Amino acid sequence: MSSDDSNNISPISRDADAVACSPSSTAVTYSDNPSPSSLPTVAPDPLCWPPDGKLCLEWIQYLMSVFEWSSRNLAPSAFPSVFPVPVFDALVLTASKILHKEPNCLQINIPDADSTVVVVGDLHGQLHDLLFLLQDAGFPAQNRIFVFNGDYVDRGAWGLETFLLLLAWKVFMPHRVFLLRGNHESKYCTSTYGFEKEVLAKYGDKGKHVYRKCLGCFEGLPLASIIAEHVYTAHGGLFRSISVTPSKRSKGKKNRRINLIPEANTLCLGSLEELSKARRSVLDPPWEGLNLIPGDVLWSDPSMKPGLSPNKERGIGLLWGPDCTEEFLKKFKLKGLPVKTCTVVATCKCGDYKSHEGPDAREKRPGLGGMDEGYTIDHDVESGKLITVFSAPDYPQFQ
């Protein structure tokens, strides 16, 4: 990816009819650029974890086949018959070890000029759109990198399958598949918007165990990425600087610790160094205190009004204007900010991306474009563009 290709975003639209599949065989085979899959006519065998713990492409292809078949043929309570708890445990444990070792802000390098980076916005449990996306864009490969921008679960019927499939791809190709955290990868959102109930419906008496393991995995998801040294991606967007001053040292041997208190100054943009030092391993990012950066990154929204201000409508995060986008891009020598998308996928050649705002949110935001095309260019400033991507066409499937 060269700097000359900056700000070139090509949306891939979704053809609803292309997702429809006809049963023809007991297994689904996918190529690197596959045609729409076929569904097995009989119940597939339960997944087994490989004895050596290493996933292969054939295993993931079978996983995709099993999830697609079960989504159309099994009652939710029968899900363990195709994806047993021991396989779930092994996959989540293996993926969690990888995710927790990654930094808050991933530096994603591009192998060569012919490589493609696919930035995917919110999926919200829409398994069939994820399967179509992978078929249409092509599987992750050495020259095809995927950056998923969070919100894998909630408000859709197959959040668990969606998240598990992405974890499998992460384990198989850890340096070509990157999973960022969304605001719905939290205890509050998943207990409010459907994911917890989905897990309990599918795993019954083992549901609480599965749900806890998912929450632990959510904590390990990185917060943001920088692609090819030019493109900043995060689910919500920009974040504040947290300036602190030491309070007075207490007297006595038992109280030698210096307590830090936040300075009550005007809001200003944070730095990538501050982002790297933020504590992301929290189930629900705080809306007050010293660790505000994770909440900002996951919950903030762009605005057409200049400046940086509290996001009062959400009660957490910030609103930032075009001047802030320009300041951030120029300061860190970036060319774009992706946030969130509404179509299936956007292939990016440099820019800034975010997610986090679906069609329902955009209807309430004056001055910002709608999500009919799956992405919007919200800020177009001298240094680059702010692009919001949302990849859940049937959102919300339920409230």
Side-chain angles (χ1 to χ4, degrees):
M1 179 183 296
S2 64
S3 58
D4 294 337
D5 294 324
S6 64
N7 304 321
N8 182 5
I9 305 293
S10 302
I12 300 177
S13 62
R14 173 183 180 269
D15 180 356
D17 294 334
V19 184
C21 305
S22 60
S24 63
S25 63
T26 58
V28 177
T29 55
Y30 295 88
S31 63
D32 187 50
N33 292 289
S35 59
S37 60
S38 299
L39 294 179
T41 55
V42 297
D45 294 330
L47 265 294
C48 296
W49 189 250
D52 60 0
K54 296 181 180 179
L55 299 187
C56 62
L57 181 58
E58 290 73 18
W59 194 92
I60 295 180
Q61 290 174 335
Y62 188 68
L63 176 68
M64 294 169 67
S65 169
V66 167
F67 282 177
E68 190 170 22
W69 183 91
S70 65
S71 72
R72 301 176 188 274
N73 294 277
L74 285 186
S77 59
F79 185 68
S81 68
V82 294
F83 201 82
V85 172
V87 180
F88 167 86
D89 286 340
L91 175 59
V92 171
L93 176 61
T94 305
S96 292
K97 288 180 178 179
I98 297 172
L99 293 168
H100 279 81
K101 291 179 181 179
E102 292 182 330
N104 285 349
C105 186
L106 299 163
Q107 297 291 331
I108 301 176
N109 299 317
I110 307 304
D112 53 58
D114 295 327
S115 297
T116 299
V117 179
V118 181
V119 178
V120 184
D122 299 34
L123 291 166
H124 281 297
Q126 295 189 20
L127 172 70
H128 306 95
D129 292 297
L130 172 59
L131 295 173
F132 174 78
L133 183 158
L134 291 169
Q135 294 166 13
D136 198 53
F139 285 173
Q142 292 304 316
N143 65 346
R144 188 182 298 114
I145 297 170
F146 277 79
V147 180
F148 292 90
N149 215 19
D151 274 15
Y152 312 112
V153 302
D154 282 338
R155 290 185 164 172
W158 300 284
L160 184 60
E161 291 92 325
T162 298
F163 186 55
L164 293 175
L165 177 56
L166 293 179
L167 291 184
W169 275 110
K170 178 64 179 177
V171 170
F172 178 52
M173 301 196 76
H175 303 298
R176 293 296 181 268
V177 176
F178 299 95
L179 308 180
L180 304 185
R181 187 174 181 179
N183 64 305
H184 277 263
E185 278 71 62
S186 65
K187 190 176 189 301
Y188 166 74
C189 282
T190 54
S191 63
T192 303
Y193 297 105
F195 181 66
E196 182 182 15
K197 291 181 179 179
E198 176 193 341
V199 171
L200 295 178
K202 289 176 178 175
Y203 276 102
D205 59 352
K206 294 291 185 180
K208 291 184 178 180
H209 163 81
V210 170
Y211 179 60
R212 285 196 302 268
K213 292 292 184 181
C214 287
L215 292 179
C217 195
F218 292 163
E219 286 188 318
L221 294 168
L223 299 175
S225 75
I226 295 179
I227 304 169
E229 300 181 350
H230 289 305
V231 181
Y232 171 83
T233 63
H235 181 74
L238 299 186
F239 52 93
R240 76 192 79 193
S241 177
I242 303 295
S243 300
V244 295
T245 55
S247 62
K248 292 183 179 180
R249 187 190 298 269
S250 301
K251 295 181 179 180
K253 294 182 179 180
K254 294 183 179 180
N255 297 293
R256 294 186 180 277
R257 184 176 179 181
I258 298 178
N259 295 317
L260 300 178
I261 57 175
E263 293 182 0
N265 292 339
T266 304
L267 285 171
C268 60
L269 287 175
S271 67
L272 294 178
E273 181 181 3
E274 288 179 289
L275 174 59
S276 70
K277 294 179 180 179
R279 186 168 68 88
R280 77 175 191 252
S281 58
V282 289
L283 285 177
D284 292 304
W287 54 272
E288 61 181 358
L290 294 177
N291 193 36
L292 295 176
I293 288 178
D296 287 348
V297 173
L298 300 183
W299 285 91
S300 294
D301 295 304
S303 171
M304 299 309 296
K305 182 181 178 181
L308 198 64
S309 61
N311 196 335
K312 294 181 180 179
E313 183 176 344
R314 293 190 184 272
I316 184 173
L318 305 170
L319 294 174
W320 82 92
D323 56 326
C324 297
T325 295
E326 171 65 19
E327 178 186 341
F328 189 82
L329 294 177
K330 189 173 183 179
K331 182 176 182 180
F332 298 107
K333 300 179 181 179
L334 301 169
K335 295 181 182 294
L337 299 168
V339 189
K340 182 175 185 172
T341 359
C342 189
T343 46
V344 173
V345 63
T347 303
C348 91
K349 298 275 187 178
C350 279
D352 271 4
Y353 295 80
K354 86 170 222 84
S355 300
H356 183 50
E357 289 181 287
D360 57 337
R362 281 306 171 105
E363 291 174 357
K364 306 172 185 176
R365 304 287 306 286
L368 295 177
M371 278 295 167
D372 293 340
E373 299 298 325
Y375 76 99
T376 62
I377 298 176
D378 298 326
H379 297 162
D380 191 349
V381 295
E382 181 180 353
S383 296
K385 297 179 181 180
L386 167 65
I387 299 171
T388 295
V389 187
F390 194 83
S391 304
D394 190 27
Y395 175 86
Q397 288 182 327
F398 55 83
Q399 294 293 337

